[in-house]
Each structure stands twice: as structure tokens, then as C-alpha cells.
Amino acid sequence: MKKLVLSIFTAFFSLCALAQKDNKVTIGSIDSIQSKILNEQRKIWVYVPSSWTPESKQRYPVLYLLDGNDHFYSTVGIIQHLSQGIGNTICPEMIVGIPNTDRIRDLTPTHVDAAPPFTDSLMLKTTGGGERFVSFIEKELIPHIDSLYPTQSYKILTGHSFGGLTVMNVAINHTKLFNSYICIDPSMWWDQMNLLNKTRNSLRENKFSGTTLYLGIANTLREGMEITKVRSDTTKGTRHIRSILNLDQYIKEQKQNGLRYESKYYSNEDHGSVPLIAEYDALRFIFDKYRFKLTPKDLTDPTVDLVGKFERHYQEVSKLLDYKLSPPEDMINELGGDFLQRKEYAKAEGLFKLNVANYPESYTVYDSYGDYFLAMGNKSKAIEYFKKALSIKENPGSRKKLNTLL
């Protein structure tokens, strides 16, 4: 049986592929963990944003991505684009990682004996290991990632097909394990729609405040069938999409439970093509309030309190993500440099001071603030800040400026 991988994952300004010294392009590394729960060694593919440095001590949300061997590269690319791209700050940079050996074992919540569509009898022997797999994620995988990588508390689980089935199982039965869930064309038909029926009851009886769910639905209709008529169809060929449409309806009917929810039907995407665009749209939805929008007035009107605008926005985003988030260091540094070149010294100083306050262990913020004092003719202060930068990290830029002043 083909071995598949379940990808853990998960935020601001780095390139998706980094050129290494050996002239190879890589976007992650391979880790592993010995699981006592599953009694096997599990590989993990991990991507850590290149903006991270030990000096800055930056920390990131984590996205746990099921079937990572299929979706790791595209998902890293999407996050890189949305978190940095060309001036993008649509979502935070995130850490990405990965594991899976027996896919149908790990991603099915119940055991079945009768072969359903798209499977064979040999595959059924190990079905129903979903709860053990969730236990592995909760008790071994997440602690492992948190112990070795610069993680924040915010976590996302995303999966497609059987992975989507697992996402719904965790969202309904282990809701607080993740903050957000991305469920893409899930196999809700599994085991005579057993989980679908349990989900309907759970949505009525339980509260989901503070939890976000995005559902992507592919066009798996047979030729000539319309989405408006498929609900009344009873053939096995439409069971997959009917079960997902029912899931969508059940969720929308229970608005009182506090779940933050959005769904989308992708009429031009089939089951295989839908993951990439649905992942993109899901992240846009989850982080819809994350983006900081600069206007021409912000950049040209001297009366605009730009520092205050940054602080208020990121205070609100911090509440949304439930951890303290500061304006990205690179963005503030570049803006401060632009204002400095335009001789708008008050705005430049405000931004440099903000960066020093938020990133006191980064040499760059002191070097930039030293540039401000140099432009103002305050030699002693410039020397002080260049020395501070060098005390954190020896670097040729600060050293050259300091030597010139001395």
C-alpha cells in the first residue's frame, strides 16, 4: 500500500524556497518521533519560517496538515505568499510539519467490514484507528513540536477527503484541541454516514464558541446532474457530495452554538483539484481580520498617528488569536527607513521606537534607530545604539558606521 504522510503545519516575510550553500532549494526538514501510542516511528516534515532567528525569539502558529506528502509544498507556498508575498500580511507565518504510514487506519474514526466505494477489502483490516491517531497528535506530536520549534499556542488542523473526515471527527469530539479547522471535501459517507449523524447531534447540543471551521466542497456530480437536484438523488454515485451538502446544511442550521463558519462550493474543481484553492480561501477566512492595511493618507498625512494605528490593530488581532502579536519587525523597519529618507523624522522615530520596544533582542532595530540619531546629528546617541546592535550580534553594517563615528 502506498505510504502517505500526514503533514503538521503551520506565518510573515520569507521566501518559500531558500537557496542553500550547496545550491539546492529546500523548504523544510525531516524530523521523526517514536510513537508509543501507535507503536511505530513517525516521520515529520517541518517548515519553520525563515524570518525566525534565535536573536528575535519569534514564535509562530502551527498548521497540522493531513496527507502532507500530497499537500506540503503547495500549502507552504500558499502561506508564504499570504504572509509575505509582495507586501502581503494576510495571514501570519506558520510552522509546518508532517506524519502518516497507514492512511486508512489513521484517518477513519470507525471500523468497517463491508467495502465502501473507492476502497477494497484488503484496506479495511486496519480501519477505525482514528481515535488512537488523535491521541498520538494530542499527547505525542503536539508536545514534540512545541518542545523543539518556536511555536505559539494557536493551532490549525486541515485535511482533505479522509483527512477531512478526521478534521470533522476532531472538531466535533475534541473541539478545543485546535483553534481552527479546514475541512476539504470530506469523506462523510464513511460507515453509512456514522460521523455525519453524530455531528448533527453534536452541533445541536454543544457550544463551539472560539472555534472556526471552513468547509470546501468540490464538484463531484456526474454529468448532467445539478447541485440543486442532487439532494433528492438516492444513487451511490452521489453519496459523497450529498453527505457533504448535508453537513453544510446541518452546520448552518445551528447558528446558536457559536461556531464561526464559512463554506464554499467549487463548481469548477473536482475532488482532486480542490485542495489548493480551498486551502487558500480557508486561510483568507480564518485570518480575515489579520491584515494591516496602509492607506496613502497613512504615508503622506503628518497628522496620522501611524504608531497608534499599528498598536490598536495588533491588539485586536492578539485578542483574535489569543496570544500577543506585534507588528512585523521587517515591515516597521522598512517604513521607518522610508520616512527617514523623506526627512519625516517624527514618524521615523516613532516606528523605530516601536520596533525597539517589541523586538529588544534584535540587533537590527538598534542599528536602524542609530541611523535615525545619525540623521538627526546626535552622534552620542547614534554611537550608543550602534554599540547596542553590535553587543547583540556582530555585523559589518553597524561596525562600519560605528568605526566612522569614532
Side-chain angles (χ1 to χ4, degrees):
M1 178 181 175
K2 179 184 176 182
K3 289 190 175 182
L4 298 175
V5 214
L6 161 122
S7 172
I8 325 166
F9 197 83
T10 128
F12 257 103
F13 313 93
S14 57
L15 299 174
C16 178
L18 301 177
Q20 306 297 313
K21 292 181 179 179
D22 57 6
N23 292 323
K24 293 182 179 180
V25 175
T26 61
I27 64 168
S29 59
I30 298 177
D31 193 356
S32 66
I33 177 174
Q34 179 64 41
S35 171
K36 294 181 180 179
I37 294 173
L38 299 176
N39 193 31
E40 63 186 9
Q41 188 81 14
R42 303 298 296 247
K43 288 185 177 180
I44 307 168
W45 294 2
V46 180
Y47 167 76
V48 178
S50 62
S51 63
W52 182 81
T53 63
E55 293 85 4
S56 69
K57 296 188 177 180
Q58 179 82 342
R59 308 189 78 80
Y60 307 91
V62 185
L63 187 150
Y64 290 78
L65 174 68
L66 304 175
D67 291 323
N69 63 315
D70 291 326
H71 309 303
F72 181 72
Y73 297 98
S74 61
T75 305
V76 170
I78 290 169
I79 288 182
Q80 286 287 352
H81 174 71
L82 292 179
S83 65
Q84 60 180 11
I86 303 175
N88 279 344
T89 56
I90 292 171
C91 81
E93 286 180 299
M94 292 179 250
I95 291 176
V96 189
I98 313 176
N100 226 13
T101 51
D102 186 339
R103 181 175 188 259
I104 201 168
R105 177 199 70 187
D106 291 341
L107 303 184
T108 53
T110 52
H111 178 76
V112 298
D113 295 310
F118 320 119
T119 60
D120 58 63
S121 57
L122 292 177
M123 296 172 64
L124 301 179
K125 292 182 179 181
T126 61
T127 58
E131 281 304 310
R132 286 182 64 204
F133 185 64
V134 174
S135 181
F136 158 71
I137 292 175
E138 178 180 10
K139 297 176 181 178
E140 295 180 330
L141 186 55
I142 291 176
H144 176 82
I145 295 298
D146 287 343
S147 69
L148 294 180
Y149 301 98
T151 64
Q152 286 286 6
S153 59
Y154 196 90
K155 296 184 291 295
I156 302 172
L157 179 65
T158 179
H160 164 246
S161 194
F162 276 151
L165 182 69
T166 297
V167 168
M168 284 311 305
N169 179 43
V170 178
I172 294 302
N173 296 312
H174 309 272
T175 307
K176 295 304 179 182
L177 188 54
F178 294 89
N179 303 87
S180 293
Y181 296 89
I182 301 174
C183 184
I184 303 173
D185 218 42
S187 303
M188 300 304 294
W189 50 264
W190 178 259
D191 192 11
Q192 303 299 312
M193 304 186 188
N194 181 291
L195 180 63
L196 178 63
N197 295 326
K198 290 181 178 179
T199 297
R200 187 178 195 180
N201 293 331
S202 180
L203 289 166
R204 290 172 178 165
E205 299 168 2
N206 300 317
K207 297 296 182 182
F208 296 88
S209 298
T211 300
T212 299
L213 170 65
Y214 183 90
L215 176 65
I217 308 168
N219 182 356
T220 55
L221 299 172
R222 65 173 182 265
E223 189 174 352
M225 176 70 71
E226 296 179 7
I227 190 72
T228 55
K229 297 180 180 179
V230 70
R231 290 182 186 276
S232 59
D233 188 73
T234 57
T235 63
K236 291 183 178 180
T238 62
R239 184 164 58 174
H240 176 77
I241 191 168
R242 280 189 286 118
S243 66
I244 302 173
L245 293 174
N246 286 337
L247 173 64
D248 184 43
Q249 178 183 337
Y250 297 159
I251 296 173
K252 289 177 177 176
E253 287 175 347
Q254 305 301 327
K255 295 182 179 180
Q256 83 291 339
N257 61 27
L259 178 66
R260 180 172 173 251
Y261 176 69
E262 184 170 290
S263 64
K264 184 174 181 178
Y265 171 62
Y266 295 88
S267 60
N268 294 323
E269 307 295 338
D270 59 27
H271 185 69
S273 69
V274 75
L276 187 145
I277 189 170
E279 191 77 39
Y280 177 91
D281 288 342
L283 291 171
R284 294 294 301 259
F285 169 63
I286 291 170
F287 297 106
D288 63 344
K289 297 184 185 303
Y290 182 85
R291 189 177 197 176
F292 182 86
K293 296 180 180 179
L294 278 171
T295 67
K297 185 177 180 180
D298 293 330
L299 300 175
T300 58
D301 189 340
T303 65
V304 172
D305 180 12
L306 189 54
V307 170
K309 183 175 180 178
F310 269 110
E311 289 178 330
R312 289 188 296 272
H313 174 79
Y314 281 93
Q315 284 172 1
E316 289 301 313
V317 174
S318 296
K319 290 179 182 178
L320 176 69
L321 301 183
D322 200 28
Y323 69 87
K324 186 180 184 304
L325 193 69
S326 300
E329 178 186 343
D330 289 351
M331 175 193 282
I332 299 300
N333 206 49
E334 289 176 12
L335 276 174
D338 288 342
F339 283 120
L340 191 61
Q341 285 187 346
R342 288 154 49 182
K343 298 185 178 355
E344 296 185 40
Y345 298 120
K347 282 197 171 185
E349 183 184 22
L351 291 167
F352 291 141
K353 286 179 69 175
L354 180 65
N355 246 5
V356 168
N358 288 329
Y359 302 97
E361 296 179 341
S362 169
Y363 81 91
T364 306
V365 300
Y366 296 100
D367 181 81
S368 296
Y369 206 2
D371 289 339
Y372 163 78
F373 287 115
L374 192 59
M376 296 297 293
N378 192 335
K379 181 179 177 181
S380 61
K381 275 290 185 180
I383 290 173
E384 176 187 337
Y385 276 85
F386 292 142
K387 284 183 175 180
K388 178 65 175 177
L390 290 165
S391 70
I392 295 174
K393 182 179 181 179
E394 180 64 40
N395 67 92
S398 300
R399 178 61 64 187
K400 182 178 180 180
K401 284 180 278 193
L402 180 63
N403 288 342
T404 300
L405 287 172
L406 296 176

